């Protein structure tokens, strides 16, 4: 059985990522890309679906022991885990070197004290656990082959095969260092180069050290901000600049339920807000690469803007269910692909335009096509802003006039007007000023409940929605507007969990709710950070700080967050780690630091 979601650590090479449990088991790894088939899919099934455990030897009828301590080495993505056993202490260093050739996962076992018996158990199963590869020796190396894929296993430890699994039993004493590496290569090509684990470790540590030095934030929450930035960098597909929402699929929002989605793609919304956080903390190169990815993905067809694309800009992300996988803690179905790719979500026009605007304001080199794209997006919105859509949360129920979508359409027009006013683009300024006013008036008349003094989820609805917290942050209304304050307080009353975290919107248990799905979900962490932001903006800074620090306490021991927090089970749920949680963490830290609202 897989560990709790918060029991996992992330390692990666900016092209794919692995999740490593506290007991030393790699339960998730897709090769060679984030969205490739998994060779270890035990996270969503059983050990029969692939895993790699490395740790102290233990009796077969007992669970593997969890590490006594684990941490990332400094400000890096190099994981160090230590076990204290009756025979001594051992350390395992796990990492994936930034790629210059074949993707590699390297694990180095180091004796610290005593003499510790160890075991490596490697069970590769290709195609999300469905295919047993042909495992054989080639010039002294172990290689697993199935169809187009080959995975090469290299170690100085003696290995043997048993029950379609590769084992290594060995003992480490103080000073011993034994490395294990798996490398992926297309099966029709020559074998990958022999790994050089120690040199790769040194180069990986240097890479992260140099990257972190570019961070311009030096406030009181630096540790949390740096770890979130490193996580966002790890979720960036280096060859193209695309940013995945998370490196996993189908980790449930509702344990045992059907709210299981594939997040290994680039959502324009998530990537745009990630871009804004990177820009505000000094990372212009990542912002430039994302802008180039965006321009390639949208190409000459902004009228058919998708809400998400593949990490290289692919448009077809057909959704399928893997019925041979029982799902994480029996949360089925397990899905790959994402059928929401072709939904209409008008808010993405606002998020993309806001990201382009921020890049322009922070001095990214001018790109004429980016400005042209922005103008084309507004011309589309001019005709379609008053169309119902599926909204920010990708509801699978009927389309509605979501208030957040209209607000973000307003943002898109507003930022484009500012671009024209700056002299960096030409457009029908007066006509678009009228359009901006029309959208604003429409939202305030149709999306606001005067009796309750709150904006609502959609026109004519009584439901609330946490996305309304973005109204003051986007500049749609000032923070001291009574309608903004009323909305914040209404969301606190109606969408808060008992411990003060924020739900996205009401769900209906076993019945289908507004999102067209049965079941409930946890508190959405991004929305909870938005609440902290809003509280700070309306002057309730002590309350904002307390909520923020409470949210920080939900991170696992390595500083990582999933998408949601289940207030009943007191555990993280949803895909992990989640960019849409770490981005607002950074944003709230910056806001609280600027306001002086922090303890100590």
């Amino acid at each position: 059985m897989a560990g709790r979601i918060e029991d996992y650590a992330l390692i990666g090479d900016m092209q794919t990522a692995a999740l490593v449990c506290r007991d030393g088991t790699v339960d998730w790894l897709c090769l060679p890309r984030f969205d490739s088939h998994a060779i270890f899919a035990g996270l969503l099934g059983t050990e029969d679906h692939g895993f790699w455990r490395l740790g102290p030897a233990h009796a077969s009828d007992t669970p593997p022991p969890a590490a006594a301590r684990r941490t990332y080495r400094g400000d890096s993505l190099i994981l160090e885990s230590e076990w204290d056993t009756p025979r001594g202490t051992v350390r395992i260093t796990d990492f994936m070197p930034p790629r210059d050739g074949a993707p590699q996962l390297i694990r180095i076992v180091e004796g610290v004290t005593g003499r510790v018996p160890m075991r490596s158990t490697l069970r590769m199963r290709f195609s999300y656990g469905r295919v047993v590869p042909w495992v054989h020796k080639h010039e002294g190396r172990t290689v697993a082959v199935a169809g187009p894929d080959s995975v090469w296993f290299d170690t100085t430890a003696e290995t043997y095969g048993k029950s379609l699994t590769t084992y290594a039993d060995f003992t480490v004493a103080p000073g011993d260092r034994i490395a294990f590496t798996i490398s992926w290569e297309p099966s029709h090509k020559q074998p990958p180069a022999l790994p050089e684990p120690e040199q790769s470790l040194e180069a990986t540590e240097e890479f992260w050290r140099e990257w972190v030095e570019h961070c311009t934030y030096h406030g009181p929450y630096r540790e949390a901000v740096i770890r979130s930035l490193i996580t966002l960098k790890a979720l960036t597909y280096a060859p193209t600049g695309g940013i995945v929402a998370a490196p996993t699929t189908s980790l449930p929002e509702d344990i045992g339920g059907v709210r299981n989605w594939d997040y290994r793609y680039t959502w324009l919304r998530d990537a745009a807000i990630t871009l804004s956080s990177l820009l505000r903390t000094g990372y212009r190169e990542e912002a430039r690469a994302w802008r180039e990815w965006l321009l390639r993905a949208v190409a000459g067809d902004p009228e058919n803007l998708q809400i998400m694309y593949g990490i290289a800009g692919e448009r077809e992300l057909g959704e399928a269910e893997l019925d041979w996988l029982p799902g994480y803690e029996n949360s089925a179905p397990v899905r790959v692909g994402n059928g929401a790719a072709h939904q209409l979500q008008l808010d993405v026009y606002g998020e993309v335009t806001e990201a382009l605007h921020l890049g322009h304001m922070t001095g990214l080199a001018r790109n004429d096509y980016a400005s042209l794209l922005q103008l084309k997006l507004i011309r589309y919105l001019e005709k379609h802003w008053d169309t119902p859509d599926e909204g920010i949360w990708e509801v699978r129920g009927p389309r509605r006039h979501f208030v957040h979508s209209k607000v973000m359409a307003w943002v898109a027009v507003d930022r484009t007007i500012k671009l024209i006013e700056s002299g960096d683009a030409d457009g029908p300024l007066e006509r678009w000023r009228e359009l901006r006013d029309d959208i604003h008036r429409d939202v305030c008349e149709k999306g606001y409940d005067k009796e309750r003094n709150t904006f609502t989820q959609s026109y004519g609805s009584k439901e609330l929605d946490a996305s309304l917290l973005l109204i003051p942050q986007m500049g749609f209304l000032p923070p001291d507007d009574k309608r903004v304050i009323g909305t914040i307080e209404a969301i606190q009353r109606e969408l808060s969990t008992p411990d003060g975290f924020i739900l996205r919107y009401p769900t209906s248990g076993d019945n289908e709710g507004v999102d067209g799905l049965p079941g409930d979900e946890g508190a959405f962490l991004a929305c909870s950070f938005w609440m902290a932001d809003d509280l700070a903006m309306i002057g309730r800074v002590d309350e904002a700080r307390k909520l923020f620090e409470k949210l920080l306490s939900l991170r696992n021991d390595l500083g990582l967050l999933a998408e949601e927090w289940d207030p009943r089970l007191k555990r993280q749920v949803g895909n992990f780690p989640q960019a849409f949680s770490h981005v607002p963490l950074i944003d709230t830290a910056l806001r609280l630091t600027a306001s002086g609202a922090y303890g100590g």
Side-chain angles (χ1 to χ4, degrees):
M1 180 176 172
R4 291 164 66 102
I5 289 171
E6 55 265 43
D7 286 340
Y8 286 93
L10 173 77
I11 58 174
D13 63 1
M14 282 74 71
Q15 295 192 44
T16 190
L19 295 186
V20 187
C21 197
R22 290 179 185 273
D23 64 6
T25 303
V26 180
D27 277 321
W28 183 254
L29 175 61
C30 300
L31 291 172
R33 304 187 346 168
F34 290 109
D35 56 353
S36 299
H37 291 194
I39 68 162
F40 303 137
L43 182 69
L44 301 178
T46 70
E47 291 185 349
D48 288 336
H49 298 109
F51 72 98
W52 182 11
R53 180 173 300 123
L54 182 59
H58 65 284
S60 59
D61 58 349
T62 61
R69 295 168 297 282
R70 62 177 184 171
T71 186
Y72 286 115
R73 179 182 292 187
D75 293 331
S76 78
L77 209 60
I78 300 169
L79 177 68
E80 295 183 329
S81 306
E82 291 187 352
W83 284 259
D84 297 326
T85 78
R87 299 193 181 186
T89 297
V90 64
R91 178 184 303 120
I92 297 178
T93 301
D94 292 323
F95 66 101
M96 296 182 72
R99 198 178 301 181
D100 185 21
Q104 295 180 333
L105 192 166
I106 300 175
R107 317 190 74 180
I108 299 175
V109 182
E110 178 183 0
V112 179
T113 65
R115 292 180 57 82
V116 183
M118 301 290 291
R119 168 169 280 194
S120 167
T121 306
L122 176 64
R123 185 174 297 166
M124 290 178 278
R125 296 292 184 266
F126 292 9
S127 194
Y128 300 103
R130 193 177 195 180
V131 176
V132 178
W134 170 41
V135 180
H136 61 284
K137 291 288 187 178
H138 177 84
E139 297 180 356
R141 306 172 72 181
T142 300
V143 57
V145 177
D149 302 297
S150 69
V151 175
W152 297 74
F153 178 49
D154 293 288
T155 181
T156 56
E158 186 174 343
T159 65
Y160 61 96
K162 180 182 177 183
S163 303
L164 301 176
T165 304
T166 301
Y167 293 92
D169 296 318
F170 58 101
T171 299
V172 289
D176 289 346
R177 291 175 68 86
I178 300 176
F180 297 78
T181 302
I182 59 172
S183 309
W184 178 91
E185 193 72 65
S187 59
H188 65 278
K189 289 192 174 183
Q190 293 297 310
L194 284 168
E196 299 179 332
E198 298 294 347
Q199 294 91 324
S200 295
L201 176 60
E202 184 178 337
T204 302
E205 188 171 11
E206 181 63 20
F207 169 87
W208 287 109
R209 184 185 305 114
E210 291 182 357
W211 189 82
V212 168
E213 285 176 355
H214 289 88
C215 180
T216 56
Y217 175 78
H218 296 282
Y221 301 114
R222 182 173 167 85
E223 176 273 328
V225 168
I226 289 293
R227 182 48 52 193
S228 292
L229 286 168
I230 290 172
T231 303
L232 296 178
K233 177 66 171 174
L235 299 180
T236 302
Y237 184 64
T240 66
I243 303 168
V244 297
T248 55
T249 180
S250 299
L251 289 180
E253 299 166 12
D254 180 21
I255 299 290
V258 300
R259 296 170 179 264
N260 318 314
W261 315 106
D262 193 345
Y263 275 20
R264 297 171 300 155
Y265 305 111
T266 299
W267 269 253
L268 294 190
R269 175 187 307 109
D270 296 31
I273 65 169
T274 300
L275 170 70
S276 70
S277 293
L278 289 168
L279 275 170
R280 286 188 286 160
T281 48
Y283 290 98
R284 287 191 180 185
E285 179 56 31
E286 284 74 11
R288 184 202 60 76
W290 179 82
R291 186 177 67 180
E292 296 302 316
W293 173 90
L294 173 71
L295 299 179
R296 291 192 303 270
V298 176
D301 194 21
E303 294 81 8
N304 293 313
L305 189 74
Q306 294 188 185
I307 67 163
M308 73 181 87
Y309 296 84
I311 51 180
E314 299 91 345
R315 289 173 175 253
E316 297 305 320
L317 309 176
E319 188 174 300
E321 297 179 2
L322 308 185
D323 57 9
W324 62 90
L325 287 172
Y328 179 86
E329 296 191 18
N330 294 312
S331 304
V334 171
R335 296 182 174 95
V336 294
N338 201 304
H342 296 289
Q343 284 188 350
L344 175 64
Q345 295 178 22
L346 293 172
D347 65 292
V348 299
Y349 291 84
E351 275 106 14
V352 168
T353 303
E354 170 74 347
L356 293 173
H357 173 73
L358 184 61
H360 179 74
M361 296 296 293
T362 53
L364 273 188
R366 177 170 171 166
N367 184 302
D368 290 336
Y369 182 64
S371 298
L372 179 62
L373 170 62
Q374 193 167 334
L375 296 173
K376 285 187 174 183
L377 294 178
I378 302 310
R379 291 192 178 97
Y380 175 85
L381 273 182
E382 195 169 15
K383 299 176 182 177
H384 300 281
W385 70 269
D386 57 354
T387 302
D389 71 339
E390 277 92 359
I392 181 175
W393 307 128
E394 297 165 15
V395 299
R396 302 208 172 191
R399 288 182 175 180
R400 292 170 172 82
H401 290 282
F402 286 103
V403 170
H404 173 261
S405 296
K406 310 299 186 191
V407 169
M408 294 309 297
W410 177 91
V411 168
V413 178
D414 178 72
R415 302 316 190 252
T416 305
I417 288 171
K418 287 178 167 59
L419 180 70
I420 297 169
E421 290 173 339
S422 72
D424 288 323
D426 294 318
L429 198 55
E430 289 307 315
R431 192 174 86 217
W432 285 352
R433 284 173 177 160
E434 290 181 13
L435 174 62
R436 178 175 62 181
D437 293 343
D438 288 344
I439 298 173
H440 200 279
R441 187 182 310 109
D442 197 68
V443 170
C444 293
E445 289 178 357
K446 299 177 182 177
Y448 174 67
D449 184 337
K450 291 182 179 179
E451 293 181 4
R452 295 160 66 210
N453 186 29
T454 180
F455 285 95
T456 59
Q457 183 179 58
S458 60
Y459 289 1
S461 168
K462 291 294 184 182
E463 303 286 7
L464 296 181
D465 192 303
S467 62
L468 301 168
L469 294 169
L470 295 173
I471 287 175
Q473 296 178 38
M474 291 294 107
F476 184 83
L477 286 172
D480 59 359
D481 189 290
K482 71 177 184 66
R483 293 166 291 183
V484 169
I485 295 172
T487 301
I488 295 169
E489 292 177 344
I491 290 172
Q492 278 190 308
R493 287 193 306 271
E494 298 184 29
L495 292 182
S496 283
T497 64
D499 41 13
F501 303 125
I502 304 299
L503 303 170
R504 289 191 289 184
Y505 47 79
T507 51
S508 302
D510 293 336
N511 300 314
E512 284 193 3
V514 66
D515 56 15
L517 294 167
D520 295 311
E521 62 176 22
F524 202 78
L525 295 176
C527 300
S528 304
F529 284 113
W530 294 344
M531 175 61 77
D533 270 309
D534 278 18
L535 291 171
M537 292 179 78
I538 64 174
R540 292 160 59 174
V541 291
D542 287 343
E543 193 177 346
R545 175 182 55 80
K546 289 176 182 177
L547 176 56
F548 178 66
E549 293 180 354
K550 198 172 183 180
L551 285 162
L552 291 185
S553 73
L554 301 184
R555 300 177 301 155
N556 74 359
D557 56 315
L558 297 170
L560 302 178
L561 287 169
E563 185 177 27
E564 299 180 8
W565 173 258
D566 189 317
R568 298 170 296 109
L569 300 176
K570 303 297 183 186
R571 57 183 293 192
Q572 295 190 29
V573 290
N575 282 304
F576 174 88
Q578 174 70 230
F580 209 39
S581 298
H582 284 279
V583 167
L585 183 159
I586 295 167
D587 293 345
T588 308
L590 295 176
R591 188 180 302 278
L592 292 177
T593 300
S595 71
Y598 49 86

